[in-house]
Amino acid sequence: MGRESCSLLNVKSKIFTKMTLSFINNSRQSITMEKQLLLSKRKRNILWNQIISCKIYNQASVLRLLEKTGVQEIVSYSKQIHYGDRENVEALAAHKYFQYYYPGLNRRCESAVNSRLNYGYSIVRGCVAKSLAAHGFLLSKGIHHESSLNAFNLVDDRIEPFRAFVDLNSTRIQSNQIRLTREERKILMETLYMECKIDNKYTTVQNAIEIMVDSLKAFIFENGDLLLPEMVPLNIRRFAQE
């Protein structure tokens, strides 16, 4: 066989392989989306209760690690969560938490603190979105968030337990400037490399997001356990050390 024929054969082989892998990935994605769309209301409520309970505990941990008051009060909210959180305990806990986290903070106003938090949340949100999409989930179909104007309802569900890591990491920045510097943005990016605990193992926030999404898929397909992150003392594990 001539060199030209071999080259053509290799090209065809690569194209076939790419098409086959694309077909397999799309098939798996369809199955995942179908399972997601058929998830019962009871299971969605179970997931949401676990998510917001974890979020509240992590918020309480932030206050404890920062040696602020209100830890037990925030923890108490987790005991008030009922089926599907119809009383919106999650929002009540968040409102009270931010009063202890940064007295006088209004999350709806423009400020240096909000600038840091919002930028950090966007970083983690992007990482969650990327992982969910890679696993074949339909991002617009949430567990609790259901806005028809939001293409990322599921992402906004899944980010909740990770917000506290941004809250803790952003306290490394003490500037009163609303506009973030390059160095400040770099610090907030390091939220992904913060250490956390998930499935009784220590890893980074970035890895924990992947583990959480894997467990969500296992929950939907096999009724597996949903794995969520636990807050630990602030420790940045550099990517090179992973």
Side-chain angles (χ1 to χ4, degrees), residues 155-170:
V155 179
D156 291 334
D157 287 330
R158 305 310 303 176
I159 190 182
E160 296 295 356
F162 291 96
R163 289 185 183 275
F165 293 92
V166 175
D167 301 344
L168 182 61
N169 189 36
S170 68

Side-chain angles (χ1 to χ4, degrees), residues 90-242:
E90 179 259 339
L92 295 173
H95 176 72
K96 183 63 69 172
Y97 158 73
F98 279 114
Q99 291 181 13
Y100 289 118
Y101 172 77
Y102 196 92
L105 177 67
N106 184 338
R107 284 289 293 130
R108 297 186 178 183
C109 292
E110 191 176 68
S111 69
V113 175
N114 282 330
S115 181
R116 296 193 288 267
L117 294 178
N118 292 338
Y119 188 85
Y121 294 154
S122 69
I123 291 170
V124 177
R125 190 173 187 251
C127 190
V128 172
K130 182 179 179 181
S131 181
L132 286 167
H135 281 76
F137 285 100
L138 180 63
L139 303 188
S140 61
K141 178 62 177 177
I143 293 167
H144 176 77
H145 292 85
E146 297 181 328
S147 173
S148 59
L149 301 177
N150 185 6
F152 300 95
N153 284 309
L154 185 61
V155 179
D156 291 334
D157 287 330
R158 305 310 303 176
I159 190 182
E160 296 295 356
F162 291 96
R163 289 185 183 275
F165 293 92
V166 175
D167 301 344
L168 182 61
N169 189 36
S170 68
T171 60
R172 296 165 61 199
I173 303 172
Q174 298 299 318
S175 170
N176 291 321
Q177 299 299 315
I178 293 175
R179 186 178 180 86
L180 296 170
T181 65
R182 182 177 181 180
E183 183 60 29
E184 288 169 344
R185 292 195 299 271
K186 180 181 177 182
I187 288 174
L188 293 168
M189 180 66 73
E190 289 178 340
T191 301
L192 296 178
Y193 308 130
M194 285 175 64
E195 192 169 54
C196 70
K197 189 176 181 181
I198 188 168
D199 196 22
N200 292 317
K201 299 172 184 175
Y202 290 92
T203 186
T204 62
V205 165
Q206 187 173 43
N207 289 339
I209 289 172
E210 189 69 17
I211 292 169
M212 176 193 68
V213 173
D214 270 332
S215 74
L216 174 62
K217 199 165 186 176
F219 179 92
I220 293 175
F221 277 80
E222 307 162 5
N223 291 316
D225 295 327
L226 181 66
L227 301 177
L228 296 167
E230 297 177 41
M231 178 70 65
V232 299
L234 182 58
N235 179 26
I236 305 296
R237 290 171 58 175
R238 300 291 180 179
F239 182 77
Q241 296 175 337
E242 283 297 291

